[in-house]
């Protein structure tokens, strides 16, 4: 007979309560924004957030049916961030014609439903590692699409969009996921070869030249995006993701040192030979210089106005609808954090950053708990990508880093960004279900901790083994 020892609890009821609370907060923010801008309130004011809430409840039901042991906190946190983004864009649409809350709502619902389909159809995340080079080929196609004449579009100085008939789409957002899957599959399959030999210099062991291929490939890909698509943000995102996944897979600090060296070399080349990158660095270093501030194109007006907006918000903010965030160009997309800082103040902006911190830590918890190397590298790589993107965006609007044009996950306007980030959440939810699910070992259901009764976390389970679990309550 199978003996049960401290079985893990699915905790889906906790998820439901937190999800309803998150939706209520988002609806309250939307209503406050309407009141603050004197927008008419009627019985249909709750409908947009209600539609989005219904979509998130569909994902909750799918998790109950297909992934009952998935992390119970990721969905509510993500829904709250997305809901706040919908509320803020709705508020900004009262003053800025370019802000389109209807489009953002449609993309949000579509993204949640795609994540639901992913969780429902992919029963075991390990099936994705069977076709690493297929995902690599898909990544190449996605990154080349914006360069196709008649299909690709150039906007704001970058060529990263394609025309899909009813709007625009950024294939690079999906490419970051397919590249992460390829890299996780490659590293989990070749980890022993990469670690086999190297030259030791003091306390640091450097890899052999023949093992530098993945890092150099990531660097060349990022440089190619920078040169041909003129997109500094995506270049930073891709290379940062590659470097982090290499370190996670190998635990060698030498990869970080080599990666930083390649970043410095690439930045120097870009600064010297790429005018659009030079302009970004000038804005970063001399934002308050009158000559740069008053440039017709490529000036620092946007970032300086964003700083003034956040300063005017002070500690508690002006209140939703009571500020002037539309004085900042693209306040509904690239600069949405400045709009939040102005109307919700330092406290509100800090709360949003805490939500991102909690989301990333839950994603990392799933990576730590799963037993197979592929799942560990993939989940941690996707978690780092989310954290790195928020850091780069926040650094850009506060002049800690050059402004890159990356979107703030779940908050900023942009359908491709919403779709990609909800797919990331769906993938990590599937991995977290494997990490927390009780595993049958020697005729017993073992739930005593992440890795109990299993092989070393760096190895893959045999094909006949029960899918990985992890009964420890988190």
């Amino acid at each position: 007979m199978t003996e049960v020892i401290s079985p893990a609890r699915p905790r889906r009821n906790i998820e439901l309560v937190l999800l309803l609370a998150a939706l209520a907060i988002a609806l309250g923010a939307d209503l406050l924004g309407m009141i603050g801008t004197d927008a008419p309130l009627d019985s249909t004011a709750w409908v947009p957030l209600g539609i989005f809430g219904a979509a998130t409840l569909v994902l909750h039901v799918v998790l109950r049916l297909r992934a009952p042991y998935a992390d119970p906190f990721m969905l509510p946190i993500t829904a709250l961030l997305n809901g706040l983004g919908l509320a803020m864009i709705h508020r900004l649409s009262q003053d800025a014609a370019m802000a389109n809350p209807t489009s953002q709502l449609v993309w949000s619902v579509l993204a949640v439903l795609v994540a639901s389909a992913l969780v429902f159809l992919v029963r075991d995340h390990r099936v994705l590692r069977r076709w690493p080079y297929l995902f690599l080929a898909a990544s190449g196609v996605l990154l080349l699409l914006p360069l196709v004449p008649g299909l690709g579009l150039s906007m704001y100085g970058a060529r990263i969009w394609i025309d899909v008939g009813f709007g625009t789409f950024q294939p690079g957002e999906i490419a970051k996921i397919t590249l992460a899957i390829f890299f996780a599959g490659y590293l989990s399959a070749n980890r022993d070869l990469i670690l086999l030999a190297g030259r030791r210099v003091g306390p640091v062991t450097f890899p052999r030249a023949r093992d530098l291929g993945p890092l150099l490939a990531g660097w060349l890909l990022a440089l190619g995006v920078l040169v041909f698509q003129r997109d500094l943000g995506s270049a930073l995102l891709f290379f940062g993701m590659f470097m982090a996944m290499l370190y996670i897979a190998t635990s060698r600090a030498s990869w970080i040192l080599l990666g930083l060296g390649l970043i410095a070399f690439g930045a120097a080349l870009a600064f010297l030979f790429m005018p659009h990158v030079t302009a970004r660095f000038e804005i970063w270093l001399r934002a308050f210089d009158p000559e740069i501030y008053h440039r017709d194109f490529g000036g620092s007006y946007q970032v300086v106005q964003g700083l003034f907006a956040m300063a005017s918000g002070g500690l508690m903010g002006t209140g939703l609808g009571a500020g002037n965030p539309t004085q900042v160009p693209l306040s509904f997309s690239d600069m949405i954090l400045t709009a939040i800082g102005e109307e919700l103040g330092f406290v509100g902006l800090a709360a949003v950053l805490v939500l991102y911190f909690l989301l990333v830590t839950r994603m990392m918890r799933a990576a730590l708990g799963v037993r197979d190397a592929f799942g560990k590298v993939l989940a941690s790589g996707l978690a780092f990508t989310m954290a790195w993107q928020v850091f780069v965006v926040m650094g850009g609007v506060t002049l800690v880093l050059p402004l890159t044009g990356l979107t703030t996950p779940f908050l900023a306007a942009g359908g491709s960004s919403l779709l990609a980030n909800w797919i990331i959440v769906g993938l990590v939810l599937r991995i977290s279900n494997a990490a927390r699910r009780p595993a049958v070992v020697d005729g017993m259901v073992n739930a005593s901790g992440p890795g109990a009764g299993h092989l070393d976390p760096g190895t893959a389970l045999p094909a006949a083994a029960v899918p990985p679990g992890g009964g420890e309550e988190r």
Side-chain angles (χ1 to χ4, degrees), residues 197-458:
R199 181 181 295 275
R200 190 172 185 84
V201 179
V204 179
T205 300
F206 286 91
R208 299 173 300 177
R210 72 185 69 176
D211 297 326
L212 289 175
L215 187 63
L216 291 175
W219 181 71
L220 290 173
L221 175 64
L223 203 60
V225 169
L226 188 60
V227 172
F228 295 107
Q229 298 187 355
R230 301 168 62 89
D231 185 14
L232 177 62
S234 295
L236 285 174
L237 187 66
F238 290 154
F239 189 69
M241 178 181 69
F242 292 150
M243 198 166 64
M245 294 177 75
L246 272 170
Y247 176 73
I248 291 164
T250 63
S251 300
R252 280 188 173 177
S254 56
W255 290 108
I256 302 297
L257 296 177
L258 291 170
L260 292 175
L262 289 173
I263 287 177
F265 181 62
L269 291 177
F271 180 78
L272 293 173
F273 301 108
M274 301 176 191
H276 61 288
V277 176
T278 304
R280 294 292 180 104
F281 275 89
E282 288 178 344
I283 292 171
W284 176 43
L285 297 172
R286 299 161 52 201
F288 293 93
D289 188 321
E291 178 187 352
I292 296 175
Y293 179 81
H294 292 293
R295 281 180 182 170
D296 292 335
F297 181 78
S300 61
Y301 175 83
Q302 181 186 40
V303 67
V304 170
Q305 288 296 110
L307 291 172
F308 288 155
M310 289 188 289
S312 67
L315 184 64
M316 301 302 295
T318 61
L320 282 169
N324 294 293
T326 52
Q327 297 297 315
V328 182
L330 300 177
S331 58
F332 56 91
S333 58
D334 294 9
M335 305 295 286
I336 197 167
L337 288 179
T338 65
I340 294 173
E342 179 179 355
E343 298 204 335
L344 297 181
F346 174 79
V347 171
L349 187 56
V352 168
L353 294 179
V354 167
L355 287 175
Y356 282 117
F357 175 77
L358 292 174
L359 178 59
V360 171
T361 55
R362 299 312 300 182
M363 295 170 75
M364 289 301 298
R365 193 69 181 264
L368 290 172
V370 75
R371 280 114 177 124
D372 64 290
F374 173 77
K376 283 182 178 296
V377 176
L378 180 59
S380 53
L382 294 175
F384 173 84
T385 301
M386 186 82 66
W388 179 239
Q389 188 166 342
V390 174
F391 173 75
V392 170
V393 172
M394 193 66 199
V397 301
T398 57
L399 279 183
V400 174
L401 297 171
L403 193 64
T404 61
L406 283 176
T407 56
T408 311
F410 305 110
L411 287 176
S416 49
S417 176
L418 279 172
L419 180 61
N421 287 305
W422 270 106
I423 289 174
I424 288 175
V425 170
L427 281 172
V428 181
L429 281 170
R430 169 54 64 193
I431 294 172
S432 72
N433 178 71
R436 297 182 66 248
R437 183 169 51 191
V440 177
V441 181
D442 296 331
M444 303 171 64
V445 176
N446 192 323
S448 58
H454 277 270
L455 301 175
D456 181 84

Side-chain angles (χ1 to χ4, degrees), residues 77-96:
I77 294 170
T78 307
L80 178 53
L81 287 168
N82 199 159
L84 290 175
L86 288 169
M88 182 57 68
I89 291 172
H90 187 200
R91 176 264 174 274
L92 293 170
S93 69
Q94 307 300 319
D95 300 325

